[in-house]
Structures are given as structure tokens and as C-alpha cells.
Amino acid sequence: MCGIGAFQIVGGECDPTKVARVLLRLLEVRGRDASGVAWHDKGETYILKAAVAGSVLARQIGNDVGTTGIVHTRWATQGDPKREVNNHPIDATGVVGVHNGHCSNDDQLLRMCEGYKRKGEVDSEAIFALIAHGPKGTKLRERLSKVQGGAALFWLRTNDKHERLHVARLQSSPLVLGMTKGGSIIGASTESIVREAAKRCDLTLDLVHVLPEGTYMRCEGGNISETQTIEMPRKWSFSLPDYSKRSTYSAPTRQQLPAPQSKADELTLEMLLEAEIEQEIADRLETDTLRDAMDRQFGMGRYSDRRW
């Protein structure tokens, strides 16, 4: 479990630095091993990340965050967070991205990237390397369809003068976008975090959209400038981690974390954590129940939920 967030603020509706800080604090419940933020500013792309909790990094951000950016809080499962290259946002030379989920064929994907040399150990790097350096002549949706596992993604293309935000949900991992009437966008792993972030930033959401699996969107200047459907040939199963325990690597304890700004903040974080864990378990149980019912009725076997 990791937390991902994104924003694109138009017309001066809100201070983007505040949005980045709020998302880091709220997403901390989904991972405390490391955190990071990246943004566009006048055609340049900047990255700030460290092996600290999101609430710590939020205090280190300056007031110069650009209007389009991405955020990540990490629950480390592969790759030591003490190595900066393993933490998100991941710079895959041309693409800077954040990922929630698991990629089981990262070695295979990296072999498809001509001229690209792996920088860290995390599976997520392979996805962004494939986006930036995949086989010539293949379209984005064809590259993303090669990913095996669960994935929700936000990414930026470096030196993008149009300062576009790229969004994709492949399988399993949740992803939600909220948009104001003015066109500003806030995205995150779950709807509750999107709504809470908008509330804290004094933004009124006109639309909240849960992305269906196999969806790509490109956001530009307050508009959804492109959408694509990504072919997901089959469901890839993987075990649900025990989020009540520490991650693979040493996560800071609550005593090591800075105190919340208020008791209300602390309660909100705890409630969000409990709610998201319960929802993920409920979603998995619901999916398993539906699969079992279809197996009994139609005798379709393990992959009764595959797409035809």
C-alpha cells in the first residue's frame, strides 16, 4: 500500500504549495517509509523526496511549488527507502511518476526498454521506464497493457511546456479525481482523501470521478484533453498485505513522527487509515464472493471475472 496524489490548479483557485502539503499529510496513512513531490514550473520539472513521513516533508517544501504536480507516500515492499532512487516520484529519464500497486513482471518490462539502465530496485521504475523508453512504434495504451499486477499512476513528462498531468488506472489499485467548476483537479488513491484535501484547501468540487480499470487520462489547463482505454487481458492476482504491521523496511513509529498540528488532524488521519483498510478488505471480499458465485452457477473456473 502506498499513497499517490496529484493536482492541477488553474485560475489561481488555490495555492498549489498548500495542496501539496495537505496531500502529503493525508496520504501519510497509506505509507510512512518515504515521501515525495514533483511539479512543473515554467517548463522545468522539480523533484523533492526523502526517507521521511509525509508530514515531515510537508514542512520542508518551499513556497514555489508549480500549479501541476504529483505526490507520493511510500509503504516500502521492494527496495530500501534509504536509497533515494527507490523512493517516489521516480525519475525514469523523461518521465517522473508515482505508483500505487505492484508490478510482477518488472524485469521483463525493463528488457523492453532500449538503452535504459535500471537505477534502483523498485518494481515501479519499470512502468515509468516503459512509458518513456518502450519499444518504438508502440502506443502508450499498448505499453501499459504489458504491466502485470495492480497499478494506479500519476506522471509528468520532463520539460513539458504545456505542464500536463498524466493519469492511469490499470487494475485493482484505486484512483479518484475531483474537479472544480473552474477546472482545478485534485487526485488521490481514494475518494475520502480527495474530498478531505479539497475541503482543507477551500476548493468546492463540482465532480468526483472514480476511474474505472483500464483508463488513461491527460489533464491540461483545467481540461481532460485526452482519454484512452487500456486493454487489460486478464486479472492478475496478488496477496493483500497486512497493513496493521510494519512494511518490509523499518517504518518510523508514531512516537518518532512529528505531532499533528491539532487533535482534529490526528483523529482524521486515524479514521482515514481505518476506513481505507476496511474498504480494501471489503472490496476484496466482495470480488471473491462474486467470483465464487459465478463459478458455482456457470462453472467458469478461477478466472470467471476475466474480460472477453
Side-chain angles (χ1 to χ4, degrees), residues 250-290:
S250 178
T253 64
R254 175 162 294 279
Q255 288 72 30
Q256 293 171 314
L257 295 172
Q261 289 185 330
S262 68
K263 187 65 176 178
D265 282 349
E266 183 177 17
L267 291 173
T268 298
L269 288 173
E270 290 296 336
M271 291 172 64
L272 284 170
L273 175 59
E274 293 177 3
E276 304 314 337
I277 292 174
E278 290 176 1
Q279 186 60 53
E280 290 196 34
I281 293 174
D283 289 345
R284 179 60 60 86
L285 290 174
E286 182 179 355
T287 299
D288 290 344
T289 300
L290 177 61

Side-chain angles (χ1 to χ4, degrees), residues 94-281:
V95 167
V96 175
V98 295
H99 167 223
N100 172 40
H102 171 70
C103 175
S104 60
N105 65 331
D106 49 319
D107 291 335
Q108 176 187 347
L109 297 182
L110 285 166
R111 287 194 292 270
M112 298 169 62
C113 301
E114 184 177 351
Y116 182 82
K117 185 177 180 180
R118 191 169 198 159
K119 301 176 183 179
E121 296 86 45
V122 290
D123 54 328
S124 305
E125 181 181 354
I127 301 176
F128 300 114
L130 184 69
I131 292 172
H133 308 282
K136 294 181 179 179
T138 60
K139 297 180 180 179
L140 174 63
R141 63 175 180 268
E142 295 173 324
R143 298 182 186 188
L144 290 175
S145 69
K146 303 295 184 182
V147 177
Q148 296 178 10
L153 309 161
F154 289 124
W155 72 90
L156 311 173
R157 289 194 176 271
T158 55
N159 304 314
D160 180 4
K161 295 182 179 180
H162 298 284
E163 300 190 353
R164 289 167 287 203
L165 170 66
H166 301 267
V167 183
R169 183 188 178 197
L170 305 187
Q171 293 182 134
S172 299
S173 302
L175 196 59
V176 182
L177 291 181
M179 180 178 287
T180 69
K181 285 186 177 181
S184 292
I185 293 171
I186 291 183
S189 301
T190 61
E191 182 176 344
S192 59
I193 291 179
V194 168
R195 291 189 181 278
E196 181 67 16
K199 179 181 177 181
R200 295 191 184 196
C201 295
D202 298 319
L203 291 173
T204 301
L205 297 178
D206 185 53
L207 172 68
V208 175
H209 179 58
V210 179
L211 269 71
E213 294 183 344
T215 301
Y216 163 80
M217 289 184 175
R218 186 178 68 198
C219 308
E220 182 178 354
N223 294 299
I224 307 298
S225 57
E226 181 181 350
T227 61
Q228 291 186 30
T229 299
I230 305 162
E231 181 64 28
M232 296 286 102
R234 56 161 285 183
K235 287 278 186 181
W236 300 96
S237 61
F238 50 92
S239 60
L240 188 68
D242 184 354
Y243 300 138
S244 65
K245 299 180 180 180
R246 288 191 176 195
S247 67
T248 302
Y249 299 90
S250 178
T253 64
R254 175 162 294 279
Q255 288 72 30
Q256 293 171 314
L257 295 172
Q261 289 185 330
S262 68
K263 187 65 176 178
D265 282 349
E266 183 177 17
L267 291 173
T268 298
L269 288 173
E270 290 296 336
M271 291 172 64
L272 284 170
L273 175 59
E274 293 177 3
E276 304 314 337
I277 292 174
E278 290 176 1
Q279 186 60 53
E280 290 196 34
I281 293 174

Side-chain angles (χ1 to χ4, degrees), residues 1-2 30-34 72-82 86-87 122 246-251:
M1 177 179 72
C2 291
R30 297 182 64 86
R32 298 184 173 97
D33 294 327
H72 189 271
T73 59
R74 187 176 178 211
W75 173 283
T77 55
Q78 180 177 327
D80 193 336
K82 293 178 182 177
N86 289 328
N87 298 327
V122 290
R246 288 191 176 195
S247 67
T248 302
Y249 299 90
S250 178

Side-chain angles (χ1 to χ4, degrees), residues 40-53:
H40 284 315
D41 186 25
K42 299 177 182 178
E44 300 290 337
T45 306
Y46 298 89
I47 302 174
L48 176 66
K49 59 182 177 178
V52 298

